[in-house]
Amino acid sequence: AVGPDTPVTQLTGVGEARAKKLAKLGLARAADLLTYYPRDYEDRRKIYSLQEAPVGQRVCVAATAAEHPRKARIRQGLELVQLKVVDHTGALHLTFFNQGYVERALRAGEEYIFFGTVEKQGRRCTMVNPIFERADSQSFTGRIMPIYRLTAGISNHLMASLTRQVLPCADGLADSLPQRIRQEQGLASAQFAVQNIHFPADEEALALARRRLIFEELFSLTCGLALLRTRRDGEAGPAFSAPPMEQFLSLLPFSLTGAQRRAMEEMAADMAAGPPMNRLVQGDVGSGKTAVAAACAWMTHQAGWQSAMMAP
């Protein structure tokens, strides 16, 4: 059985070469795939007849292979497979480039779901390199399909296939959010969120999964910042006994605003208190934030310490 620590090399479709390419995406274990969320989605739920299929759009069509696929080698390094598929409304001519396996995968008389872009060449409808599945065995057609960030040599179809293989691991996920918070905020469980962020049952399930994962990320960030503040508050820093602020003000060729002076006085009090100071000075362009920072650097210097000012 696949577990969170199962290496990707043990998944169907992954050898050493593909494992190295997956490593570029930070994917080494099954658990990595679970948290490698899609960047977008493609709605493949509507299945068209050949006559209704809109031209120039990626769509799903249901059709039956009218013949056995024909394979031909055009030149060195270029092989193509062609066949005609039909339904009760018309015909569609398929071409697969450098996908020799299609000759064995598609059987005359069988019905398939093809996903690709329908194009018109005169009165002839065509589709190049479509994704296909048997009509009675759909996994990546007839559904909302995840679209992942990829790297060379790793297709979206492979990523979705690997994620589907490891998805059962989500059933054993420990929920990082306390049940009380989930109930108060109306949040889905971790298992539901992971399953539906990859393969959502519908738009509502996707929205619930997104909301849960976004909340969890911000919740974890907030808890981490609070922990850092708690650690910092318990530390002792150097307490500065700087000269009166008037000495600094006399060095400036302009007068300060009330807000600037108040910010400087609050910082001076912080720097004299002992615990490390961590402040954000917010103001419009030209409001004098740099002068406030310069006051802190001056107080640091007067107390016998060094300071550094960095600017983008």
Side-chain angles (χ1 to χ4, degrees):
V2 176
D5 294 323
T6 299
V8 294
T9 49
Q10 294 185 19
L11 302 178
T12 303
V14 180
E16 291 299 329
R18 278 182 173 169
K20 290 179 181 178
K21 293 172 181 176
L22 289 169
K24 293 180 180 179
L25 299 173
L27 305 175
R29 305 175 305 136
D32 299 330
L33 286 161
L34 287 181
T35 55
Y36 193 74
Y37 302 138
R39 63 169 179 80
D40 203 353
Y41 298 87
E42 199 166 50
D43 193 343
R44 301 182 182 179
R45 288 174 295 180
K46 184 171 177 58
I47 298 177
Y48 293 87
S49 68
L50 296 181
Q51 188 177 52
E52 295 173 337
V55 175
Q57 298 180 30
R58 288 168 63 80
V59 294
C60 288
V61 296
T64 300
E67 59 188 2
H68 185 75
R70 308 179 307 279
K71 184 162 67 173
R73 185 177 296 277
I74 303 303
R75 62 173 185 273
Q76 185 68 29
L78 180 59
E79 182 181 74
L80 58 83
V81 175
Q82 295 178 307
L83 79 153
K84 181 173 73 172
V85 298
V86 298
D87 70 0
H88 66 284
T89 67
L92 180 67
H93 297 267
L94 307 181
T95 303
F96 297 86
F97 289 99
N98 290 331
Q99 296 184 40
Y101 72 93
V102 172
E103 184 187 21
R104 301 180 301 277
L106 292 171
R107 296 178 177 273
E110 296 284 350
E111 185 180 14
Y112 299 90
I113 306 298
F114 298 95
F115 177 74
T117 304
V118 176
E119 300 289 355
K120 283 272 192 181
Q121 294 180 355
R123 298 178 62 184
R124 179 184 173 111
C125 291
T126 64
M127 186 180 281
V128 175
N129 287 349
I131 294 168
F132 62 90
E133 296 179 309
R134 284 175 57 101
D136 60 358
S137 179
Q138 292 177 248
S139 295
F140 303 132
T141 57
R143 66 171 311 123
I144 298 175
M145 184 70 181
I147 306 299
Y148 297 94
R149 297 185 305 279
L150 305 172
T151 189
I154 301 296
S155 68
N156 194 72
H157 191 276
L158 175 64
M159 282 296 304
S161 174
L162 298 178
T163 304
R164 182 174 283 281
Q165 290 181 57
V166 304
L167 211 54
C169 298
D171 293 338
L173 282 177
D175 207 311
S176 61
L177 293 179
Q179 186 175 0
R180 176 182 60 83
I181 291 178
R182 293 206 317 271
Q183 290 175 341
E184 288 176 357
Q185 301 296 325
L187 299 172
S189 68
Q191 295 95 326
F192 178 93
V194 169
Q195 289 166 349
N196 283 275
I197 201 67
H198 288 289
F199 294 99
D202 49 37
E203 289 92 343
E204 183 180 2
L206 177 56
L208 288 172
R210 275 177 164 160
R211 184 172 181 272
R212 153 66 200 231
L213 293 172
I214 290 170
F215 182 96
E216 182 178 353
E217 185 174 340
L218 293 176
F219 181 82
S220 300
L221 176 62
T222 302
C223 289
L225 292 174
L227 180 61
L228 290 174
R229 280 196 297 272
T230 301
R231 290 175 178 173
R232 186 175 63 244
D233 292 343
E235 296 175 357
F240 294 173
S241 53
M245 187 61 66
E246 297 300 329
Q247 291 188 24
F248 174 75
L249 300 181
S250 67
L251 301 174
L252 300 178
F254 52 84
S255 299
L256 295 183
T257 65
Q260 284 176 303
R261 184 153 189 161
R262 184 173 66 253
M264 289 179 183
E265 289 170 353
E266 289 176 358
M267 290 180 175
D270 274 359
M271 295 170 74
M277 180 180 71
N278 184 32
R279 278 183 173 268
L280 170 69
V281 180
Q282 180 177 326
D284 293 335
V285 174
S287 62
K289 298 183 295 295
T290 304
V292 174
C296 289
W298 178 81
M299 285 186 278
T300 304
H301 176 73
Q302 294 299 315
W305 292 83
Q306 289 183 322
S307 62
M309 182 181 288
M310 295 188 295

